Amino acid sequence: MKKPDLNLKRASLLTSSLLCSALLIAVPLRKELNEGWQFKQARLSNWYPATVPGVVHTDLLNNKIIEDPFFRLNERGMQWIDKEDWIYQTTFRLTPEMMGRQNIELVFKGLDTYADVYLNETKILETNNMFREWKTDIKSHLKPGENTLKIYFHSPIKVDIPKWDALPYHYEASNDQSENGGVFDKKVSVFARKAGYHYGWDWGPRLVTSGIWRPVYVEAWDNARISDVFIRQQEVSKSRASILGEIEVESDKEIDRATVTLTDEASGKVLAEKTVALQKGVNKLALPFSIRNPKLWWTNGLGEQHLYDFRTDLTIDNQNSDSRTRKIGIRSLKIINRPDKDGKTFYVELNGVPVFAKGANYIPQDNFLPRVSPRQYEKTILDAATTNMNMLRIWGGGIYENDLFYELCDRYGILVWQDFMFACSLYPAEGEFLENIRQEAIDNVKRLRNHACIALWCGNNECNDAWFNWGWQKRYKAQNPEYEKKIWKQFNDQYNVTLPQVVAEYAPESFYWPSSPFARFDGGSDDRNGDRHYWDVWHGKKPIETYNKERSRFFSEYGFQSFPEFESVKRYAPRQEDWDIYSEVMMSHQRGGMHANELIETYLLNEYHKPKDFEAFLYMNHVLQGDAIKAAIEAHRRDMPYCMGTLFWQHNDCWPVASWASRDYYGRWKAQHYFARKTYRDILVSPIADGDGQLKIYLVSDRHKACSGTLEVEIMKLTGEVLSHFKRNVKVDANSSHTLFSVSLDEALKGARKEDVFIHATLLTDKGNSLYTNNYFPVKQKEVNYPQAVITRSIRPIAKGFEVTLASDNFARAVFIATGDVDSSFSDNYFDILPGGSVKVEVYTDLPQDRFEKQLKVVSLSDEY
């Protein structure tokens, strides 16, 4: 037997080792800098541990220097924080492998906001925009051992007050709570490229943050790397998707031969490949390919949310130099905004099908953004998807959301109306500031353009209407015509030149909309063109039934306020003296002020009987809000296809507060959210009595295909006696709204009083598998003669909780169940129980059965008068 050649073996091992080392060197390396951070007040000497990503307020809270800003009146005592400068510092070491790379960059995904960055005491970067990503080469500043990274955050208030002071006029900023911040009327928020809501809003506190709010890392690379991948969907149909892979490759030198390959990971099929010579700098490569019979991406409720995994590989000298994978939903998405006999349409066309948009407006989930966990993100998007929504509007006073938000919207089929971050204000959009805006737009359009969920880019929230309809233009003109002319030029350059140019260049197939709401360039919004924000119910004090008459091509905002439920209120207002809507604490958590609380009370007493106590008031306020928004949604859907969208304000809160949200800060669903889930189903049964005394039943369908079913309409006494019963076999057309049944209400009542009855309508479809129901009252809730309802309960354990069966002798309106201040979720809530009927509800909770039975609370509307 021949002995092995040890020298040959050693040589082979050495070759393998060198090859592995070469492969390792080729691929970019990344190190996140999220450990060992400390912070201090710039003018003081004490250092404290810091969390990165984070903000000053949460670090002060974690170190017990401040108390919870959301608790009772604590926010008032936090206003000193934004007047101070803050320093963050850490040390880090890089491995020899990273230190050996030719290119080493420091990358900040987000710095809030005015910051000077020092590495080993050398200033390497100045930042002035919370919404941009910042990168800088640091190789020449690094040391072999320990390196010190320091970030000096300047007070945004101190930086911007001199800008306010220097101007002979002032920019409008309706919601900037400068007085609460102790800076009088100096509304400086417009000068900072920073989340507007941090300065306060009519649903949010004034907590102006600073900090490293998104990850920071070091990236090291040699030769070349992939800097961007854009899977540009040029034309998509059922039979073929024509796609252009636009790949950016950054090279630190000329390279004779580099290959870029695009692969479908699921099948392993190479979709496109190109070999090129790379020049030093950024190289742009175009890789066209097509997919036959693609699996299309659909919105929630209309089909599958199929996502392709497209991998892009960069190969140099037969070595993998870099790789990126993108999840891509292939779809054709257009916003149809064209003249018709009534004005100009505004709707989403997805894969050739008109889609009625059902959803809500979304604001940031916390004033302290880095503490929103992935679990909270998933719950927030699932709470939209399970409520049958297919669109969320990311409102322009918050942030361009984290990547995870859009990934979840892709996964669950939620379209995103994406505002640029401008809201209810005017901005000094010229020179360096306008260029800063342009770079911000480029960063975010490039970051988000691959997401199937992005439906459109919108220039701002309400700035166009404010200029034309709120009197802003007139005020500037009266003050000085030159001011008006200058500010209008800035406005035009910002929204009608710069932002649409960025969208056209970096996301050519995307739709840009100048403002929300918007009808035309030379005036405010209206009910015949584009989208509309409708606030005559609520701000305009009009009665809730006005929703039935108002029209729009697309309702992108409307809403109705409520407080959180009692268990949520007790978390931030635990003292008995707080339990009055006009108490100091409750007023501090009502940013609409006395006016808003009086509106809630006035609407409640106009529509319902007087509640018996504070807890009953909160419950009835939820029912009021839910009934109001349910009426609006039904009216908007009945008006299809004239109206093709309804997005209520708002989906969520950023702190515990009275607001228009349908879910409170703690994630608890209000009545409105439960009502919206039923009203947003794919088919809506909508009874309504018209002005001529006819009871009409509308059937509204979002389905692609027609279906048939059985419609039943019962006019019933609240004690259970059926006065009239109608049954019809009906055909429900696809994507339509029609009246499929009509009867004289007086005839159907058979002499009974309207105050004593309700209408119960049901539609049974899909061979009996799908049941759609709705209850309708021909008079106001205040006029309904609800009998006392005796509700009995039975409870049985199920996986992760209990099944509760509730039965009632008489009609029980808006039955609310609660389990105290524990994390429970409910398959349904605020539901009606028909006379002599029962409802089964699943409650998911960790409570043991004895505690659950003890804590389970059940109330209905008639209990709370």
Side-chain angles (χ1 to χ4, degrees):
M1 180 176 170
K2 186 178 178 182
K3 290 184 178 180
D5 186 331
L6 294 177
N7 288 330
L8 185 63
K9 187 174 182 181
R10 288 192 192 101
S12 175
L13 288 170
L14 181 61
T15 303
S16 297
S17 176
L18 288 171
L19 180 59
C20 289
S21 178
L23 288 171
L24 181 64
I25 288 172
V27 177
L29 300 173
R30 177 179 289 191
K31 175 183 175 67
E32 186 171 350
L33 304 182
N34 57 2
E35 296 177 349
W37 285 92
Q38 54 183 345
F39 83 112
K40 75 182 187 79
Q41 211 168 323
R43 62 186 177 85
L44 301 179
S45 54
N46 289 343
W47 288 93
Y48 298 93
T51 301
V52 170
V55 294
V56 171
H57 291 71
T58 48
D59 285 326
L60 291 169
L61 185 60
N62 293 339
N63 284 281
K64 302 189 184 332
I65 297 169
I66 62 171
E67 295 184 352
D68 180 4
F70 294 173
F71 185 74
R72 298 195 82 246
L73 302 172
N74 285 352
E75 177 213 352
R76 296 178 180 178
M78 308 297 165
Q79 299 308 311
W80 62 274
I81 298 169
D82 59 52
K83 319 301 185 300
E84 296 288 338
D85 296 351
W86 299 90
I87 299 174
Y88 278 71
Q89 186 170 293
T90 191
T91 58
F92 65 93
R93 294 172 181 266
L94 299 182
T95 62
E97 290 86 354
M98 291 189 78
M99 290 291 288
R101 296 299 170 94
Q102 292 299 310
N103 309 282
I104 307 178
E105 276 188 340
L106 183 61
V107 181
F108 294 97
K109 302 300 279 187
L111 289 174
D112 177 12
T113 290
Y114 297 114
D116 299 331
V117 181
Y118 297 84
L119 182 59
N120 297 325
E121 298 305 320
T122 300
K123 186 193 280 192
I124 58 171
L125 182 65
E126 292 182 18
T127 75
N128 60 356
N129 191 321
M130 173 182 177
F131 306 122
R132 287 175 63 181
E133 296 184 5
W134 302 92
K135 299 178 183 180
T136 186
D137 183 79
I138 60 171
K139 185 166 177 70
S140 63
H141 302 291
L142 287 167
K143 298 190 297 191
E146 197 169 78
N147 293 271
T148 301
L149 177 61
K150 182 173 76 174
I151 306 174
Y152 189 108
F153 288 98
H154 296 272
S155 156
I157 307 305
K158 289 197 298 189
V159 168
D160 288 331
I161 277 182
K163 301 172 188 173
W164 193 93
D165 288 339
L167 287 172
Y169 55 85
H170 298 298
Y171 290 94
E172 292 281 355
S174 340
N175 287 283
D176 185 323
Q177 297 170 12
S178 55
E179 293 85 356
N180 288 349
V183 291
F184 310 106
D185 62 344
K186 298 185 178 183
K187 300 186 182 301
V188 297
S189 55
V190 297
F191 297 105
R193 289 312 302 136
K194 175 172 172 56
Y197 83 108
H198 283 167
Y199 297 82
W201 219 265
D202 57 4
W203 37 255
R206 186 190 181 280
L207 294 164
V208 184
T209 57
S210 292
I212 308 167
W213 76 287
R214 278 180 171 160
V216 51
Y217 57 86
V218 175
E219 185 166 288
W221 57 283
D222 276 336
N223 302 328
R225 64 175 176 179
I226 299 169
S227 55
D228 191 66
V229 174
F230 179 24
I231 305 298
R232 183 177 165 190
Q233 302 182 40
Q234 295 179 304
E235 193 171 343
V236 173
S237 67
K238 291 178 183 177
S239 58
R240 190 170 183 269
S242 297
I243 297 173
L244 183 64
E246 295 186 352
I247 316 300
E248 290 183 9
V249 176
E250 186 177 2
S251 181
D252 63 7
K253 60 187 176 185
E254 291 186 1
I255 295 174
D256 291 338
R257 185 180 175 85
T259 301
V260 175
T261 309
L262 261 167
T263 306
D264 177 4
E265 281 203 328
S267 65
K269 180 183 177 183
V270 173
L271 301 169
E273 188 170 84
K274 183 171 283 190
T275 300
V276 296
L278 297 178
Q279 304 301 312
K280 185 175 180 179
V282 176
N283 299 260
K284 296 185 178 181
L285 287 70
L287 277 72
F289 64 94
S290 63
I291 297 178
R292 293 182 63 188
N293 304 317
K295 293 182 180 178
L296 298 178
W297 182 90
W298 289 95
T299 51
N300 182 34
L302 289 185
E304 184 188 358
Q305 290 79 53
H306 183 81
L307 297 172
Y308 286 85
D309 286 314
F310 291 147
R311 191 181 74 243
T312 306
D313 293 303
L314 172 65
T315 306
I316 299 170
D317 296 332
N318 296 318
Q319 294 180 22
N320 181 28
S321 187
D322 202 358
S323 183
R324 299 279 184 96
T325 300
R326 294 282 182 267
K327 285 191 175 295
I328 303 295
I330 294 179
R331 83 289 187 269
S332 164
L333 195 153
K334 299 173 183 176
I335 304 297
I336 308 301
N337 177 225
R338 63 187 175 210
D340 66 3
K341 64 182 177 62
D342 299 304
K344 285 186 87 173
T345 64
F346 193 91
Y347 64 90
V348 177
E349 182 186 272
L350 181 65
N351 302 323
V353 176
V355 174
F356 189 100
K358 302 177 293 189
N361 288 259
Y362 167 91
I363 67 169
Q365 294 176 56
D366 204 304
N367 264 81
F368 309 127
L369 292 157
R371 72 178 182 184
V372 182
S373 67
R375 184 179 175 186
Q376 285 171 286
Y377 270 111
E378 181 139 29
K379 174 173 168 46
T380 298
I381 302 305
L382 274 173
D383 281 356
T386 56
T387 311
N388 301 303
M389 294 185 191
N390 58 22
M391 180 178 272
L392 290 173
R393 173 175 172 247
I394 295 186
W395 162 83
I399 60 167
Y400 307 93
E401 262 299 346
N402 287 350
D403 293 343
L404 177 60
F405 180 96
Y406 304 95
E407 291 163 9
L408 291 164
C409 288
D410 285 347
R411 189 188 310 166
Y412 294 116
I414 306 296
L415 292 170
V416 173
W417 172 313
Q418 180 67 60
D419 281 4
F420 285 99
M421 291 303 114
F422 306 96
C424 302
S425 302
L426 294 169
Y427 303 85
E430 61 185 17
E432 290 182 6
F433 192 83
L434 184 58
E435 177 58 22
N436 198 356
I437 288 170
R438 192 176 78 86
Q439 293 299 331
E440 165 193 321
I442 292 169
D443 275 7
N444 287 285
V445 171
K446 287 183 72 173
R447 177 169 70 93
L448 302 178
R449 61 189 176 179
N450 281 316
H451 287 285
C453 63
I454 298 290
L456 64 99
W457 287 89
C458 177
N460 63 68
N461 174 77
E462 296 187 340
C463 300
N464 196 76
D465 253 21
W467 182 260
F468 288 109
N469 290 356
W470 299 1
W472 288 6
Q473 181 186 26
K474 289 178 182 175
R475 285 205 289 275
Y476 284 114
K477 197 167 188 177
Q479 192 179 0
N480 186 324
E482 290 303 311
Y483 299 163
E484 184 252 346
K485 192 183 298 182
K486 179 176 182 176
I487 292 169
W488 177 248
K489 183 181 187 309
Q490 292 172 345
F491 187 100
N492 194 59
D493 287 348
Q494 183 175 353
Y495 301 120
N496 301 330
V497 179
T498 301
L499 293 178
Q501 282 178 351
V502 169
V503 174
E505 181 176 354
Y506 293 94
E509 281 70 41
S510 295
F511 182 86
Y512 175 79
W513 192 235
S515 184
S516 181
F518 186 80
R520 60 189 189 277
F521 288 99
D522 59 351
S525 59
D526 60 45
D527 59 1
R528 300 176 306 283
N529 304 279
D531 70 313
R532 185 183 185 197
H533 293 188
Y534 178 70
W535 286 103
D536 282 357
V537 176
W538 185 255
H539 289 303
K541 302 182 182 179
K542 288 191 176 179
I544 290 169
E545 58 262 27
T546 312
Y547 280 133
N548 292 322
K549 303 168 189 170
E550 288 297 327
R551 305 188 80 192
S552 170
R553 311 315 297 266
F554 194 111
F555 285 95
S556 47
E557 264 195 38
Y558 60 93
F560 203 96
Q561 261 205 12
S562 75
F563 296 93
E565 68 174 76
F566 189 45
E567 291 300 338
S568 292
V569 167
K570 286 193 290 186
R571 288 192 182 185
Y572 66 88
R575 301 178 188 172
Q576 199 159 349
E577 64 261 32
D578 299 337
W579 298 345
D580 182 297
I581 67 167
Y582 295 108
S583 74
E584 191 77 8
V585 171
M586 292 299 287
M587 287 302 302
S588 183
H589 291 254
Q590 165 56 283
R591 297 323 256 240
M594 185 70 75
H595 167 73
N597 270 6
E598 289 173 347
L599 274 179
I600 291 175
E601 191 167 43
T602 301
Y603 270 111
L604 184 65
L605 296 178
N606 281 344
E607 299 287 335
Y608 298 84
H609 292 298
K610 186 176 181 178
K612 64 185 182 184
D613 55 25
F614 176 71
E615 186 175 353
F617 187 101
L618 299 181
Y619 156 77
M620 288 173 65
N621 178 205
H622 278 202
V623 180
L624 166 69
Q625 180 195 34
D627 280 347
I629 299 305
K630 176 178 181 287
I633 294 171
E634 289 197 34
H636 302 163
R637 292 193 69 186
R638 286 195 302 265
D639 205 19
M640 175 186 182
Y642 181 90
C643 175
M644 284 297 287
T646 179
L647 308 179
F648 62 73
W649 183 272
Q650 68 213 68
H651 185 53
N652 59 304
D653 278 325
C654 66
W655 78 314
V657 67
S659 80
W660 298 265
S662 62
R663 303 157 60 252
D664 71 24
Y665 173 71
Y666 306 108
R668 289 179 167 139
W669 290 21
K670 300 180 184 178
Q672 176 181 325
H673 213 72
Y674 289 100
F675 290 5
R677 181 172 62 183
K678 294 169 184 172
T679 316
Y680 276 161
R681 289 184 71 189
D682 60 339
I683 293 178
L684 169 69
V685 182
S686 182
I688 187 166
D690 65 16
D692 297 326
Q694 288 292 112
L695 174 64
K696 295 180 177 179
I697 310 295
Y698 284 79
L699 293 183
V700 185
S701 175
D702 293 333
R703 294 187 182 185
H704 288 191
K705 296 179 180 178
C707 66
S708 57
T710 305
L711 175 67
E712 288 194 66
V713 182
E714 291 178 294
I715 291 79
M716 192 183 301
K717 281 194 172 182
L718 295 159
T719 51
E721 180 188 343
V722 177
L723 301 171
S724 298
H725 177 263
F726 307 94
K727 189 172 183 178
R728 301 282 188 276
N729 292 325
V730 294
K731 182 186 176 187
V732 185
D733 291 337
N735 237 351
S736 68
S737 171
H738 295 298
T739 306
L740 292 189
F741 175 79
S742 180
V743 67
S744 164
L745 184 58
D746 286 342
E747 178 187 326
L749 287 171
K750 295 185 176 175
R753 298 194 311 158
K754 292 178 182 178
E755 294 85 352
D756 296 328
V757 305
F758 69 101
I759 289 91
H760 181 62
T762 64
L763 176 70
L764 198 61
T765 68
D766 306 323
K767 299 180 179 177
N769 290 322
S770 298
L771 179 67
Y772 302 85
T773 69
N774 204 348
N775 294 325
Y776 174 75
F777 301 88
V779 295
K780 279 184 179 182
Q781 290 292 290
K782 186 177 184 176
E783 298 164 3
V784 178
N785 292 326
Y786 286 113
Q788 196 65 36
V790 177
I791 300 173
T792 58
R793 64 182 79 175
S794 63
I795 298 167
R796 74 175 185 89
I798 58 171
K800 298 183 179 179
F802 304 92
E803 181 187 79
V804 180
T805 302
L806 299 175
S808 180
D809 54 350
N810 294 318
F811 187 95
R813 172 78 172 102
V815 177
F816 171 59
I817 59 177
T819 57
D821 192 16
V822 294
D823 288 330
S824 299
S825 59
F826 308 89
S827 63
D828 200 5
N829 216 336
Y830 298 94
F831 47 83
D832 297 339
I833 306 177
L834 300 188
S838 64
V839 171
K840 283 185 168 62
V841 182
E842 292 181 353
V843 183
Y844 306 103
T845 179
D846 292 331
L847 287 172
Q849 187 161 351
D850 58 339
R851 276 192 62 199
F852 176 76
E853 291 182 359
K854 186 177 180 182
Q855 289 185 207
L856 181 65
K857 178 181 178 180
V858 180
V859 297
S860 70
L861 195 61
S862 59
D863 299 323
E864 300 304 283
Y865 294 156

